[in-house]
Amino acid sequence: MRGEWNGLQALFLKDSPQAYYVHYFAHRLQLALVTASREVLQIHEFFTQLNSIVTIVSASSKRHDQLQEAQAIENANLVAQNELETGKGVNQISTLQRVVDTRWSSHFNSICSLVKMFTATNIVLNNIIEDRTTYAQRGEAYGVSKILLSFEFVFTLHLMKEIMGITNVLCQALQQQSQDILNAMHIVSTSKLLLQKLRDGGWCNFLANVKDFCEKHEIEVNMFLEEVDLVNQHDIPNHLKGIGTLSELCNKLQETGKSRTYHIVDRLIRLVLTLPVSTATTERAFSAMKIVKTRLRSKMADEFLADNLVIYIEKELAAIFDTNSIIDDFENRKKRRIAFS
């Protein structure tokens, strides 16, 4: 709609050239979130798979009716087992929601609808596979059915639900008709705090929920979760006894060979340990540059400047060398012919 040549923006500017166009802020936030998430290959693959599942299950009115019928049967069974609350307006039969890039909330709604109708969706896919439809439709249904029942997909499904549940509140708040900058800043800070809280203390509960979901739908749990439990319960405590500093932890990981198992942790520790040194060296280099390359030496070439900076910054090492040793080293590097006039 906002096309600058023949869109709504162009029509406004044609009527009033002094008008200034500002993109809808919440719309920009949604597009930025979508673009940032799609930069992660696993997340891009997840949303592609999610779109495929929704498209196949909702491709016809027949499949839509099968989905709602399966959902009604599942709700009745859950109510009979006292696992689902009853009341006016609850447990309504719905359908899978599609993902729209310009509406970040549609991503969250699509994920929530699939989690809610996971069993019904699987039933519809099995009906397509067993039905006497074309081989192409059966093949597509078989492919997405394997994806739906894979641990990787279920894990990402729940992870994105947790993260988007927080960001969706922010998006909805920014789309209110009346909003002041202070309240918006407070909402942004709260969202960041909730995301950090999820990262720091919500991992165990999240893994437990994923496990319960997989057991309920008879999905084989990946060894990743078992390794995480092993690390939490046995591996790390035994190998971290008596360690009080990052350097000791880095050495211990290297000695026990755990640096290969926890390669990301090992790399992070090494970066943290070398960061102060790198920062200090950079600060010293900039300070030295102001002394060596002054207003009167503004035409100094880069190579000559770099050589002077090395000598100035490493003045402690440079003080060890004397002139004769430098001449001897230069002479020994390569035989040169000397011309006499």
Side-chain angles (χ1 to χ4, degrees):
M1 292 178 62
R2 67 179 182 88
E4 58 180 320
W5 302 111
N6 55 5
L8 188 60
Q9 178 186 181
L11 296 177
F12 271 98
L13 292 176
K14 183 179 179 180
D15 184 66
S16 179
Q18 292 78 21
Y20 184 73
Y21 175 78
V22 179
H23 206 317
Y24 185 37
F25 183 76
H27 190 82
R28 285 189 293 171
L29 174 62
Q30 292 162 354
L31 292 175
L33 290 172
V34 171
T35 303
S37 64
R38 291 299 179 92
E39 287 295 327
V40 182
L41 297 180
Q42 292 82 356
I43 303 302
H44 177 78
E45 180 185 29
F46 165 75
F47 281 119
T48 302
Q49 294 169 344
L50 178 62
N51 279 330
S52 299
I53 294 173
V54 174
T55 299
I56 292 176
V57 174
S58 307
S60 64
S61 57
K62 177 182 177 181
R63 297 176 188 177
H64 182 266
D65 293 340
Q66 291 178 352
L67 180 67
Q68 292 192 332
E69 181 181 356
Q71 188 180 355
I73 296 174
E74 181 185 9
N75 289 344
N77 293 333
L78 292 176
V79 171
Q81 299 172 7
N82 294 326
E83 296 183 5
L84 195 65
E85 297 181 357
T86 58
K88 185 178 180 180
V90 299
N91 306 327
Q92 295 182 356
I93 305 300
S94 57
T95 185
L96 295 178
Q97 302 293 319
R98 295 184 179 274
V99 172
V100 182
D101 284 349
T102 55
R103 292 291 179 267
W104 182 245
S105 59
S106 68
H107 293 68
F108 180 62
N109 294 334
S110 180
I111 291 173
C112 291
S113 65
L114 181 57
V115 172
K116 180 181 178 181
M117 293 178 281
F118 193 89
T119 301
T121 301
N122 188 38
I123 292 174
V124 174
L125 291 175
N126 288 330
N127 291 339
I128 299 173
I129 296 172
E130 298 173 359
D131 194 9
R132 294 182 178 180
T133 55
T134 63
Y135 68 89
Q137 293 176 346
R138 296 177 61 190
E140 291 177 352
Y142 177 75
V144 298
S145 177
K146 291 179 62 177
I147 293 173
L148 181 70
L149 299 178
S150 65
F151 171 79
E152 289 77 12
F153 181 83
V154 172
F155 181 88
T156 310
L157 180 69
H158 283 76
L159 179 62
M160 297 308 297
K161 180 184 177 183
E162 292 288 337
I163 296 175
M164 290 185 179
I166 299 174
T167 59
N168 186 63
V169 175
L170 174 61
C171 289
Q172 295 297 328
L174 293 177
Q175 294 181 57
Q176 295 180 2
Q177 292 184 356
S178 177
Q179 186 68 263
D180 60 89
I181 187 64
L182 293 179
N183 187 41
M185 292 173 62
H186 175 70
I187 296 173
V188 172
S189 300
T190 303
S191 300
K192 292 173 61 178
L193 182 64
L194 291 174
L195 288 172
Q196 189 63 43
K197 184 178 179 181
L198 174 63
R199 171 182 290 181
D200 295 338
W203 190 245
C204 293
N205 292 333
F206 171 75
L207 294 179
N209 293 334
V210 173
K211 275 188 173 181
D212 294 340
F213 188 88
C214 291
E215 292 175 359
K216 177 182 177 180
H217 295 90
E218 299 181 353
I219 299 174
E220 183 179 356
V221 178
N222 194 293
M223 288 298 295
F224 169 75
L225 286 185
E226 298 179 6
E227 292 175 1
V228 170
D229 289 341
L230 180 62
V231 167
N232 289 335
Q233 298 175 10
H234 305 288
D235 200 18
I236 288 182
N238 291 334
H239 289 85
L240 299 187
K241 292 181 179 179
I243 295 178
T245 63
L246 285 176
S247 59
E248 293 177 357
L249 175 59
C250 186
N251 293 331
K252 195 67 175 181
L253 290 174
Q254 189 67 31
E255 292 173 3
T256 58
K258 294 298 180 180
S259 59
R260 293 186 297 272
T261 305
Y262 311 119
H263 60 279
I264 298 180
V265 176
D266 181 70
R267 183 180 180 185
L268 178 60
I269 294 174
R270 292 177 184 272
L271 290 174
V272 171
L273 292 175
T274 57
L275 183 60
V277 180
S278 303
T279 305
T281 303
T282 304
E283 293 292 338
R284 291 173 60 191
F286 278 109
S287 299
M289 188 180 299
K290 295 180 180 179
I291 298 175
V292 175
K293 190 172 183 178
T294 62
R295 183 174 60 85
L296 299 177
R297 300 172 182 163
S298 59
K299 294 183 179 181
M300 184 181 296
D302 292 341
E303 185 177 356
F304 186 58
L305 173 63
D307 295 339
N308 281 272
L309 288 177
V310 170
I311 299 299
Y312 183 87
I313 294 173
E314 304 297 342
K315 60 179 68 177
E316 294 83 1
L317 295 177
I320 301 175
F321 304 107
D322 58 3
T323 306
N324 293 329
S325 64
I326 296 175
I327 295 174
D328 294 338
D329 182 69
F330 182 76
E331 182 183 4
N332 295 329
R333 284 180 180 273
K334 185 178 180 181
K335 296 296 182 179
R336 292 173 174 83
R337 292 182 296 175
I338 301 176
F340 296 94
S341 58

